[in-house]
Amino acid sequence: MVKLNKIYTRTGDAGTTGLVDGSRRSKADARMIAIGEVDEANSAIGVAATLAEEGIRAALMRVQNDLFDLGADLATPGDDFAPSAMVLRVVAAQVIRLETEIDAMNAGLAPLTSFILPGGSAAAAALHLARAIVRRAERAAVAVDEPLNPEALRYLNRLSDWLFVASRAVNQNGAGDVLWVPGGLR
């Protein structure tokens, strides 16, 4: 269990931060940027959760916990991605859960006949914003030039799909989607 008695440590005042293995990295290091993007995605999902109804809110809170796991995974350098009592790693079961939930949400949606614009309800708009931030987090993780857990990368990729389908689900099962009209407003 994590216990934080003191919020500031002063250890990052010189522009570095610590990883799980005790090593220090520049806060501008690609790994640290990816961790920060995941943190931002988690915050955006938190905003979306405040706007969503109970069922989707509970699912979003599970995702937020997964993103803390993912942040810990990214903060653990090395090329052994097996989880252990001391090493937290994203596992295939977390990706599979997202896929199962995507399929369940998507089953009640009409097929898309157009691209949709991010919007509709406030909850859907917040989910679309979170999706875009997750896509940025995925790009940042892919840019890390050292080994990363493949399941962490799969999780980020699947999460953006999950957020897209969730945005449609909260938009009156797609009835509230705002359709793109190509060139229609010229």
Side-chain angles (χ1 to χ4, degrees):
M1 181 60 78
V2 174
K3 182 178 180 183
L4 300 174
N5 290 328
K6 194 171 188 180
I7 300 304
Y8 63 91
T9 62
R10 297 187 175 114
T11 58
D13 290 353
T16 65
T17 194
L19 294 176
V20 171
D21 67 356
S23 65
R24 297 207 59 84
R25 298 278 181 100
S26 165
K27 292 182 180 187
D29 180 85
R31 184 179 288 269
M32 299 315 302
I33 290 169
I35 292 168
E37 300 291 356
V38 168
D39 185 40
E40 185 178 349
N42 203 343
S43 296
I45 289 168
V47 171
T50 68
L51 300 169
E53 293 182 10
E54 182 52 41
I56 197 77
R57 185 179 313 121
L60 288 167
M61 291 177 71
R62 283 191 303 275
V63 166
Q64 285 190 289
N65 276 282
D66 284 351
L67 288 177
F68 260 78
D69 292 353
L70 199 146
D73 192 324
L74 293 176
T76 307
D79 55 8
D80 178 5
F81 303 118
S84 70
M86 297 304 293
V87 178
L88 188 57
R89 295 292 191 187
V90 172
V91 296
Q94 290 168 290
V95 177
I96 291 167
R97 190 193 76 237
L98 287 179
E99 291 172 346
T100 301
E101 291 176 359
I102 289 168
D103 292 343
M105 287 186 289
N106 204 44
L109 300 175
L112 285 172
T113 57
S114 171
F115 287 108
I116 61 173
L117 302 178
S121 69
L127 288 165
H128 278 293
L129 179 60
R131 175 188 51 78
I133 296 169
V134 166
R135 287 273 192 221
R136 183 168 13 106
E138 181 184 15
R139 290 190 302 273
V142 168
V144 174
D145 193 23
E146 53 188 301
L148 292 181
N149 179 0
E151 293 301 334
L153 296 174
R154 284 186 195 99
Y155 188 92
L156 285 170
N157 185 269
R158 210 68 79 247
L159 180 56
S160 60
D161 297 332
W162 189 99
L163 290 164
F164 177 78
V165 174
S167 72
R168 294 197 68 219
V170 303
N171 243 353
Q172 303 165 355
N173 283 331
D177 288 341
V178 181
L179 300 181
W180 173 46
V181 181
L185 300 176
R186 291 185 210 171

